[in-house]
């Protein structure tokens, strides 16, 4: 943790500022110590350079496992494709120069979008509920402008009305209360601050025709290590067939997705077989392991933006299902 940004932190329960105690500083970063609410006495540990506001293990532990296992898989410099950069730019529509601005990221996973946000020159304040924060720290922890904590979107441990921008990609449907999670985000924006987020799309056809929803009752929340090794076996056995199916014009990759063999051959044309298989392992885990997978309709997502009092609302089908943008008044 970069000590320069301690003043941004708040006790997620009382909203009080926190005082640093018993710190161990290594190369100018706080490696260990406690953040204490001086009024209530509540202590939050700093472990491995990261302040922890939630239990280290929780309902998102499967995500922690997958993002630590695949901590670089979806980074653009690993895949050699600009998929994260492209999605960050298209989904936020923000300037690529945000120098001096404060940007909040909710649910960072391995941190591929943290990297993109840092490239804008912004001070990026990022959190995730799982120990995926360790994976993010491995890639982005060196950066002067990063503040990274393990925390929940329902109890965000930062000053309210502080941020110029906030984004939340691939997260809302994986919480127990997607609407509550969404409605909490604008509270951290300044007047004029901008929010960009997305959510899986719900419609009957998708539901009925998505075998992942038939399989999930048997896999969600299961021991991540065991589930992952079963997924690897399944993908390895099915891979020769997946390669053939992919060749079916137009619909090949979609058939593979239905077989729970996430197929990125369209998004990563000419990628090596090894790369495509890595993405398949990762995304099959992402489909089957999460405790919650609660897609929403376009209308519902738009209503959340209205309920939050946002203006300039733009909600439409896009990355990951439905994407939305809005501005705080
Ligand atoms: C599908 S991943 C998306 C990660 C990243 N945004 C990306 O797109 O690469 C969903 C993430 O949401 C996080 N998450 C789930 N519930 C959360 C909560 N209550 N607060 C913060 N993050 C949460 C998970 O730990 C996981 O890393």
């Amino acid at each position: 943790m970069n000590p320069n940004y301690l003043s941004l932190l708040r006790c997620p329960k009382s909203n009080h500022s926190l005082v640093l105690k018993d710190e161990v500083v290594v190369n100018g970063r706080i490696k260990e110590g406690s953040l204490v609410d001086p009024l209530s006495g509540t202590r939050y540990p700093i472990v491995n350079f990261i302040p922890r506001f939630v239990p280290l293990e929780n309902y998102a532990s499967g995500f922690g496992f997958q993002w630590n296992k695949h901590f670089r898989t979806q980074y653009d410099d690993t895949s050699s494709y600009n998929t994260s950069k492209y999605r960050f730019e298209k989904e936020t529509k923000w300037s690529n120069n945000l120098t001096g601005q404060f940007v909040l990221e909710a649910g960072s996973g391995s941190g591929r979008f943290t990297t993109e946000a840092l490239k804008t020159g912004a001070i990026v304040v990022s959190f995730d509920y799982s120990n995926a924060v360790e994976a993010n720290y491995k890639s982005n922890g060196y950066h002067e402008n990063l503040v990274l904590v393990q925390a929940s979107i329902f109890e965000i441990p930062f000053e309210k009305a502080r941020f110029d921008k906030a984004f939340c990609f691939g997260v809302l449907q994986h919480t127990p209360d997607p609407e509550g999670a969404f409605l909490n985000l604008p509270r951290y924006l300044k007047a004029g601050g901008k929010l960009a987020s997305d959510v899986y799309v719900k419609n009957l056809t998708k539901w009925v025709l998505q075998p992942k929803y038939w399989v999930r009752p048997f896999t969600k929340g299961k021991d991540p290590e065991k589930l992952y090794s079963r997924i690897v076996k399944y993908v390895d056995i099915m891979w020769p067939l997946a390669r053939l199916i992919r060749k079916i014009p137009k619909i090949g990759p979609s058939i593979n997705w239905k077989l729970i063999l996430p197929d990125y051959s369209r998004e990563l044309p000419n990628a090596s077989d090894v790369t495509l298989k890595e993405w398949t392992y990762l995304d099959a885990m992402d489909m089957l392991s999460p405790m919650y997978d609660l897609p929403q309709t376009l209308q519902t997502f738009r209503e959340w933006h209205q309920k939050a009092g946002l203006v300039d609302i733009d909600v439409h089908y896009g990355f990951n299902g439905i994407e939305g943008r809005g501005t705080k008044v």
Side-chain angles (χ1 to χ4, degrees):
M1 165 92 201
N2 183 339
N4 294 338
Y5 296 118
L6 278 173
S7 62
L8 291 172
L9 293 170
R10 293 288 180 277
C11 172
K13 309 237 180 268
S14 66
N15 217 20
H16 297 144
S17 299
L18 296 167
V19 177
L20 178 65
K21 294 257 168 81
D22 309 325
E23 70 272 28
V24 176
V25 178
V26 176
N27 296 332
R29 301 294 159 97
I30 308 160
K31 181 175 186 224
E32 284 164 31
S34 293
L35 292 159
V36 184
D37 176 342
L39 296 176
S40 69
T42 312
R43 293 177 93 89
Y44 301 99
I46 300 175
V47 180
N48 286 336
F49 300 98
I50 304 169
R52 316 286 178 147
F53 291 91
V54 291
L56 295 191
E57 293 298 318
N58 52 54
Y59 75 75
S61 294
F63 278 117
F65 177 89
Q66 87 177 39
W67 292 127
N68 279 291
K69 190 96 190 155
H70 287 276
F71 83 105
R72 297 291 301 177
T73 300
Q74 292 185 334
Y75 275 71
D76 289 353
D77 58 2
T78 304
S79 69
S80 308
Y81 289 87
N82 282 336
T83 48
S84 303
K85 176 179 161 40
Y86 184 73
R87 179 164 156 200
F88 182 77
E89 289 176 357
K90 291 277 171 203
E91 219 174 313
T92 62
K93 292 207 161 54
W94 299 337
S95 156
N96 59 11
N97 183 357
L98 302 178
T99 306
Q101 296 200 21
F102 284 83
V103 172
L104 180 66
E105 177 185 27
S108 69
S110 67
R112 61 185 170 135
F113 296 120
T114 315
T115 298
E116 298 308 318
L118 285 166
K119 284 180 193 162
T120 66
I123 293 134
V124 179
V125 178
S126 178
F127 66 90
D128 196 282
Y129 194 41
S130 73
N131 72 354
V133 287
E134 312 257 350
N136 192 345
Y137 196 84
K138 255 198 264 182
S139 290
N140 297 307
Y142 72 93
H143 205 294
E144 285 213 332
N145 286 1
L146 176 69
V147 182
L148 179 66
V149 307
Q150 187 174 356
S152 171
I153 197 166
F154 299 104
E155 290 189 332
I156 298 175
F158 298 112
E159 191 183 353
K160 292 204 171 84
R162 183 73 174 84
F163 293 88
D164 301 280
K165 310 251 179 323
F167 69 100
C168 179
F169 296 164
V171 176
L172 297 172
Q173 65 275 342
H174 294 309
T175 70
D177 172 13
E179 178 178 359
F182 175 85
L183 292 176
N184 203 24
L185 292 171
R187 298 183 179 124
Y188 293 82
L189 288 173
K190 296 173 176 170
K194 292 186 184 308
L195 173 64
S197 64
D198 59 29
V199 72
Y200 286 175
V201 65
K202 173 179 174 179
N203 64 45
L204 198 59
T205 337
K206 277 226 167 206
W207 194 275
V208 173
L209 293 178
Q210 273 206 50
K212 81 162 176 176
Y213 289 116
W214 315 340
V215 179
R216 280 183 42 74
F218 306 101
T219 58
K220 65 177 180 184
K222 288 282 184 279
D223 179 295
E225 205 157 346
K226 283 192 187 142
L227 178 61
Y228 183 79
S229 87
R230 286 193 188 128
I231 286 171
V232 167
K233 276 188 197 138
Y234 169 71
V235 172
D236 287 351
I237 289 169
M238 296 294 283
W239 198 246
L241 180 64
R243 275 200 295 233
L244 287 177
I245 291 176
R246 184 179 299 149
K247 290 186 183 143
I248 301 173
K250 292 192 182 147
I251 57 167
S254 315
I255 296 174
N256 276 335
W257 277 89
K258 304 270 179 248
L259 294 171
I260 314 182
L261 294 164
D263 187 326
Y264 282 91
S265 55
R266 274 188 292 219
E267 291 80 0
L268 312 176
N270 307 318
S272 72
D273 199 52
V274 173
T275 300
L276 290 175
K277 207 175 189 190
E278 280 278 300
W279 282 60
T280 302
Y281 293 146
L282 169 58
D283 245 32
M285 184 75 180
D286 199 90
M287 290 164 100
L288 299 180
S289 160
M291 188 69 89
Y292 304 102
D293 184 326
L294 302 169
Q296 307 295 323
T297 63
L298 189 81
Q299 183 56 25
T300 301
F301 198 40
R302 185 174 291 124
E303 279 166 14
W304 294 354
H305 285 71
Q306 289 157 350
K307 200 167 166 182
L310 299 172
V311 296
D312 300 331
I313 295 169
D314 178 12
V315 173
H316 52 262
Y317 294 111
F319 291 99
N320 236 14
I322 313 169
E323 60 181 72
R325 282 182 293 276
T327 303
K328 185 165 171 178
V329 186

